């Protein structure tokens, strides 16, 4: 039995009650107890209420040089509407490692967007007896990181439109005089941030009065091309009517209207920066070099050109600290960052993983989830996240369910709201076997990074022994280190003990170095093609727009960035209905965009929605508060 | 000397350093020390880092029946660009009461909007040696209340447009079936929130299947008139290009475009609700009854009609708890709510004042600030805030400066960035005396509420004895209880000891009941006219639009609400340039709007900006972070 003082024994009930009822049936420990058990001194965290704490980055300085624990990433087969339970498996595995296998363990999760919580999806804290609690605090506000991103993103957006507006109505000299106003003694000076632009322009003068008229013009006039602006506003709400809007229609804005739109906040590049940054100093640089569009001459314009990189960092200074929470069984969780998997890399933060690896230390485990199927999530985890962090995983999990594999094997379509077809509820080994081509491809792709792959078969009550054996055999045949059935949804950590043991063995037996899918110093197209090949594509087709953008980014000097593919998660290919493991298709690249501050180029394979909508009857109808107890009702 | 353990002795320097330098020179105490000194048990507050804590409303239950302290409101003369130092005086007075007069004291302040912090105004934590610290935490994010308001406001906005969209494309039956979907057993049920709409419609059935087609139509179809929608989206950023926008231009929104706009978040009705609510249950009701527009038949449509009142309350459940901070001298501060004084009542929250009055207890002091001049801030404090809270102030302060009085006396215009005219920097008693008509009118208006009025003369180095005597004489002649010179900006609490003594005497000698300016049960026009008369107006003139709105609100049953005048703060009249105490003018009412959930009707006297802009060189140019220490730089 575990020696950790925070471990709680779960009393499980069958059938499994609703998530919220399980979550509410457990009193979470004061988070300072979880922190203490992790070896965190009160200097290294800030409480946010009784059940959340922000762990300060300063802990990394203190633990520098101490050994890291094992690093485990959880991916999945290609997702289906049936749900594979990746988050639940991530949490359940950690409950097993911490509460039953006596390991030091930290779960690293993404912070969910608040939009879907009130829309159609509900929360994202795991499920059944494998959850992060308190569930309402996990799903709402948390410690304000997404709100900070919204504020920073929109301050930059306001700065862009206002700068264009002011440049349009002022002479070079007036503009310059307003940017560098004289103080009471009549002396002008540059703000610190302005030296970044001066340096970029090759102007080494430090006294504003010494600038030539030509230099004044270059410095003061960003000359932003309104049509080139890629920076959009954001909101953490599912507001489809903001997808495309016209701004600047007020009389005071003098007809300077512009078409633009809002994305959901987690799609902000600032979220991707938060997820990929490694320190406060690094975040300051990344935020400053974010490109918002081009000048009319085609030069990229950055946040620091607008003088705002420092202010954005100040808005994000607390958000850089991960939030400590706990599982139902009292193991620690770090929640941090949640970049939109559609257009960004869909992985939680590097700093949380780094802190966690030091806190668990040698022989401990850090388990982190990668969004979407392993073709997208694990690929980006390896080629983007690990590339920037320098961290090396020992084990990658691929989560699968019998139901989803049946669908990949050609099972009938699943329609939300309609009863499940018989095929999914009774034994059908051949359908499962047929679907294992999808699993096998994820296994071999993942193995190629040099990690040991463990398949977690997330068992449902209706799954048969023969079906599970079929998956196990297929997984081992495809090169998996192990394949294990788990029942953590119904039993908590106890249901994932075998998985925990397999993961431990996989980690202890990992010997290879991390092998990336592509080097950084090849062309943008070369990198895109390497990824496309990993999907099973026979080639890549570029639209005219994509060709143009690739040329532009290459000319601007950004071709050495990793690639973050924006592709549907519902198929290895670009066609969501192609289940299993399609091959021989030509992957179309519709457009290519870039998040220069975050540090990746993202080709668009088809249209990606960056702002969800609300259904006719959103989740919010059920959500209310018990005014007597303050308890949240109806969250799912 | 004070017996409080948290009191810190200030070492003041002359000349007074920059605000940020003073703030950074003091290490704040851990906020748990401040909380303990106030008698708060750890059960009654949640830490948010080391220097902020949310005080839980549950403390009110525990302290029910214990006596309140004295209640003091700080207003000012009519503001000028020179600044009167109202916040600074509020903080300085409390530092005097707590650190030098050995009183229990709590300062109750508004949370500043983040927009101006990065725009033109800078922060709002007081100034000189009278400040709330840490200054950066006060001005940025705080404990997330404004972010919660933004989220709730915009969720409601998204729900409105999406509901119109879904109603437009579905039959009554389809709409109803989606709103009340059948469960797996084929049974329909109403969500709890739907019973509010059913009740409003006079439908007492509880089984959805029993509704007649006519009832289904009435229930499911809100039939919102898009032109009647008054609910706008909000953002806590100075983004002028969002003042007027067109939404819904995406192809999926099928041409359902609509002109609307964004206000700054503090202008949201939800902020006004937060400021005026008295409990969680009361907030749930207020949020649910907010009116977002009318049906095409002219019926008001509420948040609860949209099924969203509960979800909004859940988003606001932590925001209802005030945030505890501290002054430079270690006295406690509650920061809570900051409704836009332009279109709302500009006062901090009722719940913070209620908690503070119990915490200081008999003989203690709660000092709260009312936004703008006393004609607006103190008037709304009395007629709206105290009316809803049931609390009774004993003393009202009117803050004045010699410079501002000179301006009211006819001194030359002041232009930002240009040197101050000689008149403001050298003795000119007659100009001061002439300006005292403004002070005198604020004093007599404030006295009419039955409180004792103390004038605080906020002294600048250039002010002369003779000038200050002139103010003192004029104040006493106008009926002030006392008039006291203070130097808290230069000396901290020590500089406001005389003011503290005067306030104590004023409170101890207050004998009259609170007299409102108007009763609630007269007509909307009757109430508007009572307030206009208090300004010095000889009459009121209504636009056609205003007449129409007054008739509509009266017909809808809202005429018994208090009135929240949206008038310029720069004059008693509607003309900002009319200094002193103008009279005989006719006050024009351009339009009349309502915040039904917050609980007031607001007539618009002229155009009120609800979204500030950024200047050519916003404050954000100076703001950065020291990446080595994490310290915020350049905040002012």
């Amino acid at each position: 039995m575990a020696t950790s003082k925070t471990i709680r024994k779960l009393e499980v009930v069958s059938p499994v009650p609703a998530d919220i009822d399980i979550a509410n049936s457990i009193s979470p420990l004061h988070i300072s107890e979880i922190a203490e058990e992790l070896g965190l001194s009160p200097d290294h965290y800030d409480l946010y209420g009784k059940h959340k704490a922000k762990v300060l980055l300063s802990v990394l300085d203190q633990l520098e040089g101490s050994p890291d624990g094992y690093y485990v990433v959880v991916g999945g087969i290609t997702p289906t509407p049936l749900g594979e339970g990746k988050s639940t498996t991530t949490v359940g595995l950690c409950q097993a490692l911490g509460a039953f296998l006596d390991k030091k363990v930290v779960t690293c999760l993404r912070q969910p967007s608040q939009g879907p919580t009130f829309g159609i999806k509900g929360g994202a804290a795991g499920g059944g007896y494998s959850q992060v609690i308190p569930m309402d605090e996990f799903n709402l506000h948390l410690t304000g990181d997404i709100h900070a991103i919204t504020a920073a993103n929109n301050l930059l957006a306001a700065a862009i439109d206002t700068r264009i507006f002011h440049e349009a109505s002022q002479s070079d000299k007036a503009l310059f005089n307003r940017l560098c106003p004289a103080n009471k003694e009549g002396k002008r000076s540059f703000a610190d941030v302005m030296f970044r632009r001066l340096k970029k322009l090759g102007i080494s003068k430090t006294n504003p009065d010494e600038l030539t008229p030509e230099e004044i013009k270059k410095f003061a006039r960003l000359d932003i091309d309104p049509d080139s602006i890629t920076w959009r506003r954001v909101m953490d709400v599912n507001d489809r009517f903001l997808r495309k809007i016209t701004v600047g229609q007020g009389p005071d804005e003098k007809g300077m209207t512009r078409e633009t739109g809002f994305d959901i906040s987690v799609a902000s590049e600032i979220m991707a920066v938060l997820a990929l940054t490694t320190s406060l100093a690094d975040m300051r640089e990344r935020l400053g070099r974010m490109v918002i569009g081009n000048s009319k001459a085609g030069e990229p314009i950055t946040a620091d050109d607008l003088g705002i990189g420092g202010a954005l960092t100040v808005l994000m200074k607390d958000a850089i600290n991960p939030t400590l929470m706990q599982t139902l069984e009292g193991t620690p969780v770090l929640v941090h960052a949640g970049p939109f998997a559609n257009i960004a890399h869909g992985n939680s933060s590097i700093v949380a993983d780094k802190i966690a690896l030091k806190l668990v230390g040698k022989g401990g485990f850090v388990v982190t989830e990668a969004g979407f199927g392993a073709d997208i999530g694990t690929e980006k985890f390896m080629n983007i996240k690990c590339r920037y962090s320098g961290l090396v995983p020992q084990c990658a999990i691929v989560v699968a369910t019998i139901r989803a594999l049946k669908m990949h094997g050609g099972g009938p379509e699943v329609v939300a709201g309609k009863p499940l077809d018989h095929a999914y509820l009774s034994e059908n080994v051949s359908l499962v076997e047929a679907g294992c081509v999808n699993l096998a491809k994820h296994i071999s792709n993942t193995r190629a990074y040099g990690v040991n792959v463990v398949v977690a078969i997330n068992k449902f009550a209706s799954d048969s022994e023969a079906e599970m054996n079929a998956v196990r055999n297929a997984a081992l045949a495809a090169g998996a280190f192990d394949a294990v059935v788990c029942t953590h949804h119904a039993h908590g950590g106890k249901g994932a003990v075998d998985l925990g043991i397999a993961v431990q063995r996989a980690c202890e037996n990992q010997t290879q170095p991390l092998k990336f899918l592509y080097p950084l110093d090849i062309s943008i197209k070369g990198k895109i093609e390497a990824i496309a090949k990993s999907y099973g594509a026979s080639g890549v087709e570029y639209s005219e727009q994509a060709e143009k953008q690739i040329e532009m980014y290459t000319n601007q000097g950004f071709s050495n960035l990793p690639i973050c593919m924006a592709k549907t998660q519902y198929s290895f290919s670009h066609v969501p209905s192609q289940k299993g493991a399609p091959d021989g298709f030509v992957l179309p690249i519709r457009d290519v965009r870039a998040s220069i501050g975050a540090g990746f180029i993202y080709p668009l394979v088809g249209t990606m929605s960056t702002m969800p909508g609300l259904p006719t009857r959103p989740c919010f109808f059920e959500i209310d508060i018990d005014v007597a107890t303050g308890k949240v009702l109806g969250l799912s």
Side-chain angles (χ1 to χ4, degrees), chain A:
Chain A
M1 199 47 218
T3 53
S4 162
K5 278 181 291 187
T6 65
I7 296 304
R8 242 186 322 254
K9 215 177 135 46
L10 278 181
E11 306 283 349
V12 309
V13 174
S14 176
V16 181
D19 290 352
I20 181 79
D21 293 334
I22 295 176
N24 282 342
S25 71
I26 305 263
S27 294
L29 295 169
H30 198 285
I31 199 66
S32 60
E33 295 181 59
I34 303 283
E36 190 186 344
E37 191 61 24
L38 262 179
L40 282 167
S41 83
D43 280 355
H44 286 132
Y45 63 88
D46 278 340
L47 292 171
Y48 276 62
K50 295 167 182 68
H51 306 126
K52 292 173 296 192
K54 272 194 173 286
V55 179
L56 308 179
L57 253 50
S58 56
V59 74
L60 281 176
D61 300 330
Q62 199 205 306
L63 295 174
E64 206 188 341
S66 77
D68 282 359
Y70 293 120
Y71 192 27
V72 180
V73 62
V74 179
I77 60 168
T78 301
T80 70
L82 294 164
E84 287 64 54
K86 218 165 39 176
S87 302
T88 306
T89 302
T90 306
V91 175
L93 167 61
C94 292
Q95 291 182 183
L97 287 165
F100 291 88
L101 298 169
D102 207 10
K103 301 295 175 196
K104 277 210 142 188
V105 63
V106 174
T107 317
C108 287
L109 290 180
R110 288 169 292 168
Q111 178 185 0
S113 164
Q114 223 166 242
T117 302
F118 292 95
I120 204 165
K121 181 171 169 284
Y129 285 102
S130 296
Q131 290 188 57
V132 182
I133 53 173
M135 190 240 238
D136 56 339
E137 298 193 28
F138 181 83
N139 285 312
L140 304 170
H141 304 310
L142 198 71
T143 48
D145 297 353
I146 295 181
H147 294 324
I149 289 167
T150 306
N153 183 98
N154 294 344
L155 179 62
L156 175 50
I160 295 167
D161 280 313
T162 315
R163 181 64 175 252
I164 295 173
F165 179 76
H166 288 304
E167 286 193 20
S169 63
Q170 295 177 43
S171 68
D172 295 349
K173 188 158 172 240
L175 196 57
F176 183 68
N177 288 348
R178 283 212 175 80
L179 286 169
C180 300
N183 65 10
K184 282 178 190 164
E185 289 82 44
K187 218 175 118 42
R188 293 183 196 287
S189 60
F190 290 118
D192 278 349
V193 71
M194 292 176 176
F195 288 107
R196 294 173 181 247
R197 178 161 174 78
L198 290 165
K199 192 179 166 194
K200 173 175 163 178
L201 297 174
I203 301 171
S204 58
K205 297 173 183 171
T206 57
N207 180 354
D209 291 331
E210 290 174 8
L211 263 57
T212 66
E214 184 57 28
E215 287 171 333
I216 284 178
K217 187 190 179 82
K218 270 167 70 181
F219 169 77
R221 206 165 279 287
L222 302 183
D223 205 26
I224 297 168
D225 174 5
D227 294 332
S228 76
I229 298 172
T230 49
W231 198 262
R232 290 158 59 89
R233 290 169 177 84
V234 300
M235 190 182 275
D236 194 23
V237 175
N238 287 10
D239 193 347
R240 56 184 293 167
F241 277 75
L242 295 181
R243 287 171 182 160
K244 194 168 175 191
I245 66 172
T246 298
V247 300
Q249 296 179 320
D252 293 340
E253 283 66 50
K254 301 176 185 166
M256 293 190 61
T257 59
R258 187 168 73 82
E259 263 193 8
T260 180
F262 277 70
D263 296 329
I264 194 152
S265 297
V266 292
S268 169
E269 180 173 349
I270 297 178
M271 175 59 96
V273 167
L274 179 67
L276 289 172
T277 193
T278 50
S279 69
L280 189 60
D282 174 75
M283 184 167 76
R284 169 66 188 88
E285 294 309 312
R286 286 177 188 265
L287 291 174
R289 67 173 178 252
M290 293 188 303
V291 171
I292 59 92
N294 293 335
S295 71
K296 287 181 185 143
E299 294 293 322
I301 299 294
T302 65
D304 273 338
D305 284 328
L306 285 152
I308 208 170
L312 301 183
T313 312
V314 166
L315 280 167
M316 292 292 294
K317 78 181 172 66
D318 299 321
I320 201 174
N321 301 313
T323 299
L324 182 65
M325 292 189 74
Q326 63 191 292
T327 65
L328 285 170
E329 300 190 56
T331 65
V333 178
L334 283 179
V335 190
H336 202 213
F340 210 43
N342 279 337
I343 56 157
H345 65 296
N347 277 258
S348 61
S349 84
I350 285 176
V351 292
D353 290 3
K354 285 201 165 204
I355 291 172
L357 286 164
K358 292 293 180 202
L359 289 177
V360 300
K362 195 172 156 60
F365 291 83
V366 172
V367 184
T368 186
E369 186 191 343
F372 287 176
D375 55 327
I376 303 180
T378 304
E379 185 272 304
K380 294 174 181 177
F381 171 82
M382 301 290 181
N383 291 303
I384 301 177
K385 186 176 174 182
C386 289
R387 183 124 45 185
Y388 279 119
S389 70
L391 298 173
V392 177
Q394 286 75 38
C395 170
I397 293 175
V398 179
V399 179
T401 63
I402 300 295
R403 295 173 175 203
L405 288 171
K406 285 177 176 172
M407 201 170 168
H408 282 296
E413 205 192 346
V414 174
V415 181
K418 289 207 177 148
L420 262 189
D421 190 276
H422 183 72
Y424 296 107
L425 299 170
S426 56
E427 185 176 287
N428 189 331
V429 176
S430 62
L431 214 50
V432 172
E433 282 171 341
C436 280
V437 293
N438 184 271
L439 174 62
K441 184 153 181 61
H442 285 295
I443 293 170
S444 60
N445 276 8
T446 306
R447 272 191 75 205
Y449 295 106
V451 293
N452 285 328
V453 176
V454 173
V455 173
I457 307 167
N458 186 11
K459 184 182 184 306
F460 281 64
S462 55
D463 301 341
S464 81
E465 278 300 317
E467 287 173 331
M468 288 182 292
N469 280 334
V471 179
R472 204 177 130 77
N473 292 338
L476 296 176
F481 181 87
D482 205 344
V484 188
V485 174
C486 33
T487 60
H488 44 272
H489 186 273
H491 303 118
K494 198 176 174 186
V497 167
D498 290 346
L499 179 61
I501 293 169
V503 165
Q504 183 183 350
R505 282 182 45 240
C507 287
E508 287 168 356
N509 289 287
Q510 202 276 346
T511 53
Q512 298 184 62
L514 176 53
K515 285 174 285 197
F516 296 120
L517 185 57
Y518 54 83
L520 288 183
D521 58 3
I522 61 172
S523 69
I524 291 175
K525 283 192 176 178
K527 287 181 268 198
I528 292 174
E529 281 147 30
I531 299 170
K533 210 173 139 192
S534 80
Y535 297 155
S538 58
V540 179
E541 195 174 73
Y542 299 91
S543 73
E544 215 174 294
Q545 168 72 5
E547 293 279 7
K548 206 186 83 190
Q549 293 289 104
I550 290 171
E551 193 189 334
M552 181 186 83
Y553 290 130
T554 305
N555 290 339
Q556 290 178 341
F558 299 133
S559 68
N560 60 341
L561 292 173
I563 300 296
C564 185
M565 210 71 111
K567 178 183 76 74
T568 176
Q569 71 265 41
Y570 294 115
S571 172
F572 268 108
S573 81
H574 55 287
V575 184
S577 60
Q578 292 182 341
K579 302 299 171 197
D583 63 7
F585 55 89
V586 175
L587 195 76
I589 306 293
R590 188 174 63 83
D591 199 355
V592 176
R593 299 196 189 145
S595 290
I596 301 300
F600 54 76
I601 305 272
Y602 62 102
L604 298 179
V605 185
T607 317
M608 293 291 134
S609 169
T610 48
M611 176 54 97
L614 292 170
T616 305
R617 189 188 192 287
C619 301
F620 65 62
F621 271 92
E622 291 300 330
I623 300 173
D624 208 328
I625 202 156
D626 178 332
V627 294
T629 63
K631 217 169 223 178
V632 174
L633 309 171
L635 211 58
S636 62

